[in-house]
Amino acid sequence: MAILQATPESIELAVQCLKNGGLVGMPTETVYGLGADASNPDAVKRIFAAKNRPENHPLIVHLASASQLDDWAQAIPESAYKLAQHFCPAPLAFILKKRPEVSEIVTGGQNTVALRIPNHPVALELLRQFNGGIAAPSANRFCRISPTQAQHVADELGEDVDLILDGGACQIGVESTIIDLSGDRPTLLRFGQITRSELEAVLQTDVFIPDSLSQTTVRTAGMMAIHYAPTTPAFRCETRFLLEQLKNDTQKIGVLTCGSMIPASQTRTVIQLPADSVSYAQNLYAKLRELDALKLDFIVVEQPPQSEAWHAINDRLSKATREIG
Ligand code: TXA
Ligand code: MG
């Protein structure tokens, strides 16, 4: 495994690696992906092995342009083209009916496929030169925090990835919005930077949100099927309870605040994140990783605001932390 600065030469190496069935760590605007040739089932199987990901958990196929959607999907509704024209390249993945020739290894056995045109110059150049679909989940081990820097990919996957293209820190920092357009009504499957209101404004119709997704406050972490979690026990609490939770100074505590100033001490490491959702999202995973590496007794995250701009962040925090207070 090597981390290579993204240049025309290293992108060419990455293309060769993909063509040979290899795994490439690639930057996108959301998080780093672990890419493989989506039309090579053996290469795609290596993704599942490297991540320890169950094989029924489908992957997103990345494309250079919306004009390739119908290479992978069929019966594409007008709504997909409307959204693609308005947003793409974008942190937005479409679930569409798959073409019969798309391998079920990519789609986890489903008859639908997830497609995304990422808005990152290195990813787009790689996709253009590769001239095909790149299947890429986030480049972390299953259930761990997604990587937002090239070094995170190396730390997560080590020798299980063949080459990592370094395209700098990810601009957005949380995974893409997923919209399912394969059924009767547009359905939001994952919150991301593109919000439900923005999708509805373009589609001129309601976007349905399943119940399980709208519950951004989860009472017991164990209730969630999947966590994007640090290994250190992590909690989140409202600002007004924060100081109360930090009284115990016999334990080593990490604190991630959302704007609040909390004094650090010998036993307490404090990271202050900005109280605007864009910068907060950019930094969240990297800072959780930093705190996780300190081998603390626990981490406390200050609950951010609940408005729509924070939905993606609160969704990830509800999986990474348990609510206390
Ligand atoms: O921002 C992103 O989307 C990043 C970057 C690398 O592009 N990728 C990413 O992939 O987050 P992953 O595999 O970590 O998450 C993909 C999600 C999974 O939760 C999966 O269940 C869902 O997409 N998904 C993929 N195909 C699907 C399908 N056919 N139907 C329903 N959900 C699907
Ligand atoms: Mg993931």
Side-chain angles (χ1 to χ4, degrees):
M1 177 266 300
I3 300 183
L4 302 177
Q5 205 58 46
T7 60
E9 294 74 31
S10 62
I11 290 176
E12 210 176 302
L13 281 176
V15 169
Q16 281 317 314
C17 179
L18 291 169
K19 291 200 165 145
N20 293 331
L23 297 185
V24 171
M26 62 184 250
T28 82
E29 79 280 35
T30 56
V31 300
Y32 272 73
L34 180 63
D37 179 352
S39 60
N40 176 344
D42 289 332
V44 175
K45 279 186 193 157
R46 289 189 59 204
I47 294 181
F48 289 95
K51 280 187 60 110
N52 289 327
R53 176 165 165 140
E55 294 204 349
N56 60 0
H57 210 85
L59 305 175
I60 298 177
V61 176
H62 295 70
L63 303 171
S65 138
S67 64
Q68 295 166 302
L69 290 175
D70 61 4
D71 292 347
W72 298 83
Q74 59 182 352
I76 303 175
E78 194 46 42
S79 54
Y81 290 112
K82 252 193 200 166
L83 291 175
Q85 193 179 15
H86 190 272
F87 291 108
C88 289
L92 179 63
F94 302 102
I95 308 293
L96 298 166
K97 293 204 174 72
K98 80 173 190 74
R99 291 183 75 98
E101 59 271 28
V102 176
S103 162
E104 292 207 345
I105 294 170
V106 174
T107 66
Q110 316 231 20
N111 61 1
T112 52
V113 61
L115 301 173
R116 171 162 120 77
I117 297 111
N119 187 16
H120 190 290
V122 175
L124 286 173
E125 190 53 33
L126 181 68
L127 284 161
R128 276 194 286 266
Q129 290 198 28
F130 179 64
N131 196 23
I134 300 179
S138 50
N140 49 284
R141 304 260 182 213
F142 190 56
C143 293
R144 297 263 84 98
I145 305 169
S146 294
T148 53
Q149 296 170 21
Q151 185 59 48
H152 298 165
V153 181
D155 295 344
E156 282 282 324
L157 298 172
E159 294 306 316
D160 291 338
V161 51
D162 297 310
L163 183 164
I164 302 169
L165 283 178
D166 189 347
C170 301
Q171 283 290 308
I172 292 179
V174 293
E175 302 82 351
S176 60
T177 305
I178 302 182
I179 187 162
D180 184 351
L181 299 171
S182 68
D184 295 338
R185 52 182 174 178
T187 302
L188 197 74
L189 296 187
R190 183 169 71 184
F191 291 113
Q193 196 201 49
I194 295 180
T195 62
R196 176 197 207 176
S197 311
E198 289 175 300
L199 296 167
E200 289 180 336
V202 173
L203 292 176
Q204 294 287 300
T205 176
D206 290 345
V207 170
F208 177 68
I209 299 192
D211 273 353
S212 57
L213 197 67
S214 54
Q215 289 167 353
T216 49
T217 32
V218 176
R219 270 151 210 86
T220 332
M223 277 168 55
M224 296 299 301
I226 293 169
H227 309 252
Y228 302 85
T231 51
T232 313
F235 305 93
R236 74 183 186 287
C237 76
E238 299 284 350
T239 311
R240 63 184 189 281
F241 300 127
L242 201 52
L243 283 174
E244 180 70 28
Q245 293 299 338
L246 302 178
K247 264 190 187 152
N248 179 348
D249 58 7
T250 59
Q251 287 186 295
K252 290 199 301 183
I253 306 173
V255 190
L256 194 62
T257 75
C258 178
S260 291
M261 298 268 281
I262 300 281
S265 72
Q266 283 224 305
T267 53
R268 188 197 296 160
T269 307
V270 180
I271 297 179
Q272 187 188 11
L273 283 183
D276 82 90
S277 61
V278 171
S279 330
Y280 188 100
Q282 265 168 11
N283 289 288
L284 174 63
Y285 288 161
K287 297 305 177 191
L288 276 178
R289 246 170 220 283
E290 247 175 75
L291 289 175
D292 207 18
L294 297 177
K295 305 283 169 237
L296 304 164
D297 293 308
F298 62 95
I299 296 170
V300 180
V301 177
E302 179 182 16
Q303 174 66 56
Q306 301 279 3
S307 58
E308 192 178 32
W310 293 85
H311 275 176
I313 290 162
N314 283 319
D315 171 68
R316 302 319 186 268
L317 284 178
S318 75
K319 290 166 181 158
T321 64
R322 188 152 66 83
E323 191 180 18
I324 49 167

